[in-house]
Amino acid sequence: MPDQPTSWADTAASLLSKLSGGVEVAFNFEQMELQVPNPANPTTPTTWRLNGSLRIRTRGENPPSGALPPANPSTLG
């Protein structure tokens, strides 16, 4: 099996590295629950409840694999 992402950042980078400019991926959630690690209490995960949608859009050219530019929050939105 190919290398699998080991963190949320790795997962996002892997997804974005496969998308070329002008692509949009949309996810819709209804009453989805996701348990994530809780750094404040490692024995009890935190539950995130998701209702709504998440849309990821790309612009410009796709950078070479593994060479994603650093995040710039002022350009997001």
Side-chain angles (χ1 to χ4, degrees), residues 13-27:
S14 176
L15 171 65
L16 291 174
S17 72
K18 292 171 179 46
L19 299 176
S20 59
V23 172
E24 179 175 301
V25 177
F27 300 95

Side-chain angles (χ1 to χ4, degrees), residues 15-42:
L15 171 65
L16 291 174
S17 72
K18 292 171 179 46
L19 299 176
S20 59
V23 172
E24 179 175 301
V25 177
F27 300 95
N28 293 310
F29 304 102
E30 290 184 23
Q31 299 180 356
M32 178 179 161
E33 291 189 0
L34 178 67
Q35 292 192 343
V36 296
N38 180 353
N41 187 355

Side-chain angles (χ1 to χ4, degrees), residues 44-64:
T44 306
T46 297
T47 300
W48 291 350
R49 291 177 180 85
L50 305 172
N51 288 300
S53 61
L54 170 66
R55 184 172 27 195
I56 301 171
R57 285 182 273 176
T58 61
R59 287 184 269 184
E61 294 298 316
N62 192 24

